[in-house]
Structures are given as structure tokens and as C-alpha cells.
Amino acid sequence: MTKRAHPAPAPETPLSGGRLKILSLGLPRTGSSSMAEALRILGYKRVHHGTEMILEGWDVTWVQRAARAHFPALSSPSSSSSSSSWWGKREEKQTSPPPQPFTRADWDEVLGSFDAVTDFGCLFAGPLIAAYPDARVVLVHRDVDDWERSVNEVIIDRFWPRSRGSTVDLLLRALLRLAGEKEPLLNGIRQSFLGRFAAAGPDQLRANLRAVYAQHVAQVTEAVPPEQLLHYRLGDGWEPLCKFLGKKVPEGVPFPRRNDAKTFGIMYDQIQKEKMRRVAWVLVRYGFSLVMVVGILLQLAALW
């Protein structure tokens, strides 16, 4: 990694919602929950993190819109996902125009009330850096072997389970559609990961992890002026972060160490519970006979 001058400390400024100040752009599974809590302790009251986005019922429709806008190759069967740009530039060979990449106004609509963005925002690092050129950027590093193993176990194995595509899975998805649920969040998360990691599916996603990790570090480092960028390694503690942000080290407060895997599991379980609630609603409204009919049709479709 190219060595950069130590970033200059940020001046102490009043903290109020509506002006995004911090972009923490370490990839998922690099301690984003701990970093989010650290920023809150330092006074950044509104910190965006994927877990709270799910558990507290925030608007999540923007996830799929952003994925379609910035990774348009995923929307076209004839296009290769590997050609998606880090900056979300549109494919020229699309048969139907995808949504336009988010503008600053679009990002303000979903993130404008926050002081800092962590976690999921890293998948849109290029567009966010372009939209908020004055923001200070924290890039968290983790041992690549540990990171790769964690992404496989905590993210990919959950969002692309072996049961996906089975008769039971197809049946559940059919029932969810009857309930008006089109899985915008899950689809948006899957699209965002596939798009950022230039993958057509989970196998290619696994294969691309290490290369995209290195690419991500290089691209963020190149895009952000050195005085606005902090390379932070898990375990560095308060001092480098506080110096970078112009904050005093909290006295008697250890740097937070959140269990990201446990937190992610809670978030995923919440998504599944909501899906089961909607399935139960369909069963009550339409009756179990409908389930039998749909199941038979799916079995026949599988034989064909």
C-alpha cells in the first residue's frame, strides 16, 4: 500500500444532523459495528449502519434503487456483471436504460440526516466519495485471511443458502409475492454485493473477495485526498481516530468491540421473522389449499 502523509486533524465543529461528515468505508466484516459505536461515543449522534436500518424499521427501498442505479449490469441478462464500474457508470450496451446513478440530492434524501455512514455504504464508496468530497474518510483494514473467512461464513452463507432455488424456497417466495413482498431489501443487498464484487453469483463472489478487497483499498486511497483519509487497523484504539477527527480521547472509555457476527445474525433473523409473518398472513387469508396448488405447480416446473 502506498504510504500517505498522516492526515491533518479535523477542527472541532458543532454536530448536528443533516450534514454528512464521516464516511467509514471499510468493507463489510471489518468491524463496522464497533466503528459506528465509536463515532457515537465521540459525539456523532446520527450514524448510519445496516443493522439499525433493519431493526429500527428505517426506509430500505433505497438499497435496491441504488444497486440498480450503480450496478446496472445486474439488471441485464446479456450483460456481464464484471463490467460494472466502481463509480457506477452505465453500460452502453443496455437494451433498456437502467436508473440514473444517484446524484448528491438522491444521497441526501437517504443519508442527509446522518452525521456519519458506516457498514453498507462502503459498497457505494465511489459514488459517496464523489457526492461528499469534503467528508473525512476512515478506511478500516482487517487481516485478509480472517476477513475472507468471515465474509463467507457470516454473509454469503446466509444470503445465498444452499436451499435457495429449492421447491420450498420457491414456494415461500411465491407466497411472499401474494403478500405484496418482493424482497426489495434482500434483493438489494444481494445486488449490491454482486455488483461491488463484480460477480454473477455466490461462487464468483467468493472467488473475487481477495482481489476486490485489494482493489477497494487502492481505489479509496486514490480517490480521497490524503489529508481527508485515515487508514485504520482493527486494534488501533482511540488515538489515531480521535487525532484524525479532532476529538479528545474519551477518558476511561475502552474502544468499543462489538460482535459484528452476532449483530449481523440478529439482523438477518429479523428479516426472516418478517418474511414468516407475511407467509402466515397469506395462509390465513387464502388457505392451505392454495399452498398445495402452488407446490404442485413448482414441482411440475422443476420436472420440466
Side-chain angles (χ1 to χ4, degrees):
M1 181 174 63
T2 303
K3 289 187 177 181
R4 295 272 184 162
H6 194 284
E12 191 76 55
T13 55
L15 297 177
S16 60
R19 296 193 300 274
L20 191 57
K21 306 169 186 68
I22 309 296
L23 301 175
S24 182
L25 299 180
L27 286 171
R29 312 300 307 135
T30 59
S32 60
S33 291
S34 298
M35 181 57 68
E37 182 61 19
L39 292 173
R40 293 187 187 102
I41 292 172
L42 293 177
Y44 297 92
K45 302 182 186 305
R46 292 274 291 163
V47 180
H48 190 284
H49 189 280
T51 302
E52 286 84 357
M53 184 173 68
I54 306 303
L55 299 182
E56 297 181 11
W58 297 349
D59 177 24
V60 296
T61 56
W62 72 269
V63 176
Q64 191 166 36
R65 288 190 288 115
R68 288 175 174 171
H70 290 282
F71 306 116
L74 294 172
S75 304
S76 173
S78 61
S79 299
S80 168
S81 61
S82 62
S83 56
S84 298
S85 168
W86 188 64
W87 293 97
K89 293 180 180 177
R90 207 167 38 168
E91 293 275 353
E92 294 182 359
K93 296 182 179 179
Q94 291 283 338
T95 54
S96 59
Q100 290 292 323
F102 275 26
T103 63
R104 168 65 183 263
D106 294 322
W107 287 118
D108 279 345
E109 182 182 345
V110 295
L111 300 176
S113 65
F114 293 90
D115 297 308
V117 171
T118 66
D119 189 49
F120 204 71
C122 70
L123 299 178
F124 302 97
L128 285 175
I129 291 169
Y132 300 99
D134 296 327
R136 299 182 77 79
V137 176
V138 179
L139 184 59
V140 183
H141 299 260
R142 182 179 179 181
D143 176 81
V144 178
D145 292 332
D146 290 343
W147 173 80
E148 181 182 31
R149 180 170 57 253
S150 182
V151 171
N152 275 308
E153 294 175 355
V154 178
I155 296 178
I156 300 177
D157 288 349
R158 279 191 170 98
F159 283 102
W160 286 273
R162 296 183 185 277
S163 62
R164 185 165 175 80
S166 66
T167 300
V168 173
D169 176 63
L170 294 174
L171 175 59
L172 288 175
R173 281 194 273 168
L175 294 175
L176 285 169
R177 284 185 175 275
L178 285 175
E181 172 62 67
K182 298 181 180 180
E183 295 190 291
L185 176 60
L186 286 178
N187 288 338
I189 292 174
R190 292 187 185 108
Q191 283 185 313
S192 300
F193 269 91
L194 293 176
R196 181 63 193 94
F197 286 86
D203 291 339
Q204 191 176 9
L205 174 55
R206 294 182 197 274
N208 291 354
L209 286 176
R210 297 176 74 92
V212 173
Y213 183 98
Q215 180 190 68
H216 182 80
V217 171
Q219 289 173 328
V220 172
T221 302
E222 182 64 28
V224 181
E227 65 275 10
Q228 291 176 225
L229 175 63
L230 173 67
H231 287 281
Y232 183 92
R233 296 192 177 277
L234 289 179
D236 280 353
W238 285 116
E239 188 174 347
L241 182 63
C242 291
K243 184 176 182 180
F244 176 62
L245 298 177
K247 301 290 183 181
K248 295 179 180 179
V249 174
E251 293 185 15
V253 180
F255 194 90
R257 295 187 63 181
R258 291 290 187 90
N259 187 333
D260 276 4
K262 181 179 179 181
T263 303
F264 189 92
I266 293 172
M267 177 190 72
Y268 184 80
D269 290 344
Q270 182 74 12
I271 294 173
Q272 299 308 311
K273 287 177 182 178
E274 177 62 18
K275 288 170 64 176
M276 292 303 101
R277 187 188 66 79
R278 290 178 177 272
V279 167
W281 179 86
V282 171
L283 294 177
V284 169
R285 178 169 181 175
Y286 296 102
F288 285 88
S289 58
L290 173 66
V291 179
M292 296 296 295
V293 171
V294 173
I296 292 171
L297 290 175
L298 290 173
Q299 288 282 12
L300 291 173
L303 289 174
W304 292 336

